[in-house]
Amino acid sequence: MEIDTHYINQIEIIINIFTIANGKIKILLFRRDEDPFKGYWMLPSNLLMTSETIEECANDTIYEFSGLKDMHLFQCDVMSKIDRLPNDRILANSLIGILDEETITLKREKRKITSEWFDIDTIPKTVYDHNDIIENAIKMLKNKIKNNELLNIFYPSDFTLPELQLVYEQVFNKKLDRRNFRKKMINLKIVEDTGDKNIGKNGRPPKLYRFTNKEQNFLDI
Amino acid sequence: MEIDTHYINQIEIIINIFTIANGKIKILLFRRDEDPFKGYWMLPSNLLMTSETIEECANDTIYEFSGLKDMHLFQCDVMSKIDRLPNDRILANSLIGILDEETITLKREKRKITSEWFDIDTIPKTVYDHNDIIENAIKMLKNKIKNNELLNIFYPSDFTLPELQLVYEQVFNKKLDRRNFRKKMINLKIVEDTGDKNIGKNGRPPKLYRFTNKEQNFLDI
DNA sequence: ACAAAAGTGTTTTTTTTACACCCATGT
DNA sequence: ACATGGGTGTAAAAAAAACACTTTTGT
């Protein structure tokens, strides 16, 4: 195999890892501890090797940064501005990874790199163009949730309706009526009662629901 | 700049060009006239050069294949399976390009490569994994139309409601009632009457409409 | 005058909205 | 017993669906 050097490209795979905790959508960022951009936050990333697929690279990268595995992954965006990094010409392929909270709780182990989950409405300063990448990923994530494509991955088991309502309120950016929200989710058969309750917290224990396996339902004409 | 050869990648930029003609959504394919895959159809593509952005590469490729320019372009997908091509390891980045029919009609010039517009429900056999790429692009295109994100680019000037209805019928894959469709489009202020009519065809001349500049409206909760 | 295609209105059904009190648990 | 948060129903308004005849043009 011979390659014309005009066509040599380096590509970094960058992953936006989201989870939902107590109804708040969060993204996992890592602190950079060397200059330039020391103290800034960053998305996990690695250069793609010739011998691996993007999914393999993404999974390895996530594992290396966080110890987490087997995330639901999908394509998000590609950035190719020549000057997106100051010195090298490196393309960026950003992915979205979805983690359910249970998995995170189980795998909470100590890593060398400082990491933190940030609410998606309070993203800190990040290195290079990572703020643009994050902004774009949040947009795609919200759109997918609006189209009922993703919440069953955030919640593989059960959840309460008040928590789910918080998620929708963030995505649609408006307050929803508790009774109407409930009716809608149940009547449209998006969720179903598991019969269990979430005991242990303050106040009346909420019922637990699960997603039915209905296909995504788009805005119908 | 030094590059570790493990991180050398070749990327081809592949463009799915869509237009709408008489209410039918179409994609532009080119005939391959050399083996392997002689006689099969293909999407226009080119290897990305180190010195250009993806958008530059895509625009040049489109122009080289079709003579068309200044298309609305956006990211679609990235394929990285090691064996997607038989001999080389080349990544594919597929984009979607939107053309309005008027522009096409104006630029209809003769090119050396045989090209043809195919209805999106009768895609012919294509080279390599282009059928997968097209299928994916059609899915994304339909989703965007469902979310009212794209039709104003397909129709920069005016159009008739019967034609628009055909588009929605393809996207939602069901027949719509003429009166209800009309009421909805007009009442939701998605379209507005231009005052003109489309004379010259058989039957009563349809009124011409244009899109209002309302922001996209998603399925609301 | 006939064929072709587009335009139009009303009624019924469904969905959405608005709104306030009671219930189950922990302290 | 009180504080906390969760659950529930009904009526009014809005939106969607069902449905058939008339109008304008070309031939």
Side-chain angles (χ1 to χ4, degrees):
Chain A
M1 176 171 92
E2 222 180 287
I3 299 180
D4 182 328
T5 54
H6 287 109
Y7 300 109
I8 285 179
N9 287 288
Q10 292 180 95
I11 308 169
E12 53 176 350
I13 306 302
I14 304 185
I15 308 110
N16 299 268
I17 303 174
F18 292 101
T19 194
I20 298 178
N22 299 315
K24 300 288 286 180
I25 306 175
K26 312 228 174 212
I27 187 168
L28 184 58
L29 300 179
F30 296 84
R31 180 137 57 189
R32 176 148 167 141
D33 49 7
E34 52 195 59
D35 273 321
F37 290 105
K38 185 169 176 173
Y40 283 54
W41 294 83
M42 62 184 183
L43 295 163
S45 71
N46 258 322
L47 284 176
L48 179 71
M49 289 197 296
T50 318
S51 55
E52 62 185 352
T53 66
I54 289 171
E55 290 71 25
E56 286 161 358
C57 175
N59 280 317
D60 290 351
T61 303
I62 292 167
Y63 187 74
E64 175 193 327
F65 273 75
S66 70
L68 295 160
K69 266 187 178 179
D70 299 323
M71 203 166 295
H72 181 85
L73 273 175
F74 54 92
Q75 278 292 336
C76 179
D77 199 8
V78 185
M79 329 284 272
S80 67
K81 282 226 315 249
I82 302 293
D83 58 354
R84 64 169 287 271
L85 303 187
N87 299 317
D88 301 312
R89 197 284 163 106
I90 300 183
L91 300 165
N93 176 206
S94 83
L95 308 194
I96 289 178
I98 307 289
L99 262 188
D100 61 288
E101 216 201 341
E102 277 177 47
T103 305
I104 296 169
T105 313
L106 291 173
K107 301 267 173 91
R108 206 179 292 254
E109 50 178 291
K110 270 290 149 267
R111 289 268 144 188
K112 46 198 177 309
I113 313 174
T114 308
S115 68
E116 198 170 316
W117 289 98
F118 288 91
D119 281 11
I120 56 170
D121 45 10
T122 57
I123 305 289
K125 275 200 177 167
T126 64
V127 305
Y128 307 115
D129 57 355
H130 287 207
N131 277 104
D132 294 339
I133 293 172
I134 293 169
E135 191 183 326
N136 223 339
I138 291 173
K139 214 177 282 172
M140 182 181 274
L141 183 79
K142 286 188 172 181
N143 284 351
K144 290 207 180 247
I145 293 177
K146 285 180 187 185
N147 292 331
N148 285 344
E149 281 179 64
L150 278 184
L151 282 179
N152 56 333
I153 296 161
F154 279 112
Y155 294 109
S157 54
D158 48 17
F159 51 86
T160 70
L161 284 189
E163 172 164 9
L164 194 68
Q165 184 176 335
L166 286 174
V167 179
Y168 277 99
E169 286 178 343
Q170 282 168 80
V171 166
F172 286 100
N173 199 28
K174 66 178 177 197
K175 280 273 168 213
L176 300 174
D177 178 83
R178 199 157 77 227
R179 279 169 291 195
N180 293 337
F181 177 74
R182 212 163 233 296
K183 257 181 298 182
K184 179 144 183 168
M185 288 293 139
I186 294 168
N187 289 344
L188 288 182
K189 303 233 165 64
I190 295 174
V191 302
E192 61 189 9
D193 198 332
T194 63
D196 293 327
K197 290 181 182 184
N198 199 4
I199 53 172
K201 302 230 181 69
N202 227 7
R204 176 172 177 170
K207 292 186 183 180
L208 288 170
Y209 290 81
R210 72 170 76 90
F211 285 105
T212 59
N213 284 337
K214 282 194 48 219
E215 68 291 4
Q216 64 193 64
N217 57 338
F218 272 102
L219 164 67
D220 260 16
I221 264 287
Chain B
M1 175 172 91
E2 222 179 285
I3 298 181
D4 182 329
T5 54
H6 287 108
Y7 300 110
I8 286 180
N9 287 288
Q10 292 180 95
I11 308 169
E12 53 176 349
I13 306 302
I14 304 184
I15 308 109
N16 298 269
I17 303 174
F18 293 100
T19 194
I20 297 178
N22 299 316
K24 300 288 284 181
I25 305 174
K26 311 225 175 217
I27 187 168
L28 184 58
L29 299 179
F30 296 84
R31 179 137 58 190
R32 173 147 169 143
D33 49 6
E34 51 195 58
D35 273 320
F37 290 106
K38 185 171 178 172
Y40 283 53
W41 294 83
M42 63 183 181
L43 295 164
S45 71
N46 258 323
L47 284 177
L48 179 70
M49 289 197 295
T50 317
S51 56
E52 63 185 351
T53 66
I54 290 170
E55 290 69 26
E56 286 161 359
C57 175
N59 280 316
D60 290 352
T61 303
I62 291 167
Y63 187 74
E64 175 193 326
F65 273 76
S66 70
L68 294 160
K69 266 187 180 181
D70 298 324
M71 200 166 296
H72 181 85
L73 272 177
F74 54 92
Q75 277 292 336
C76 179
D77 200 7
V78 185
M79 328 284 272
S80 66
K81 282 227 313 247
I82 302 292
D83 59 352
R84 63 169 288 271
L85 303 186
N87 299 317
D88 302 310
R89 197 283 165 104
I90 301 182
L91 300 166
N93 176 206
S94 83
L95 307 194
I96 290 177
I98 308 289
L99 263 187
D100 60 289
E101 216 199 341
E102 275 177 47
T103 305
I104 297 169
T105 314
L106 292 172
K107 300 266 174 90
R108 207 178 293 253
E109 51 177 289
K110 270 289 150 267
R111 289 269 143 186
K112 46 198 176 310
I113 313 173
T114 309
S115 69
E116 199 170 317
W117 290 97
F118 288 92
D119 281 11
I120 56 170
D121 45 9
T122 57
I123 305 291
K125 275 201 178 166
T126 63
V127 303
Y128 307 114
D129 56 355
H130 286 206
N131 276 104
D132 295 338
I133 293 172
I134 294 168
E135 192 183 324
N136 223 338
I138 291 172
K139 214 176 284 173
M140 182 181 274
L141 183 79
K142 286 188 172 183
N143 283 351
K144 289 205 181 250
I145 293 177
K146 286 181 187 184
N147 292 331
N148 286 344
E149 282 180 62
L150 277 184
L151 283 178
N152 56 333
I153 295 161
F154 280 112
Y155 294 109
S157 55
D158 49 17
F159 52 86
T160 71
L161 284 190
E163 172 164 9
L164 194 68
Q165 183 176 337
L166 286 175
V167 179
Y168 276 100
E169 286 178 343
Q170 283 168 80
V171 166
F172 286 98
N173 199 28
K174 67 179 178 196
K175 281 271 169 215
L176 301 173
D177 178 83
R178 197 156 79 228
R179 280 168 289 193
N180 294 337
F181 177 76
R182 211 164 235 297
K183 256 179 298 182
K184 178 143 184 170
M185 288 293 140
I186 295 168
N187 290 344
L188 288 182
K189 302 235 165 60
I190 294 174
V191 302
E192 60 189 9
D193 198 333
T194 64
D196 292 329
K197 289 180 182 186
N198 199 3
I199 53 174
K201 301 230 180 67
N202 227 6
R204 175 172 177 169
K207 292 185 181 180
L208 288 170
Y209 290 81
R210 72 170 77 88
F211 286 104
T212 59
N213 284 336
K214 282 198 43 223
E215 68 292 3
Q216 64 193 60
N217 56 339
F218 271 102
L219 165 67
D220 260 15
I221 264 288

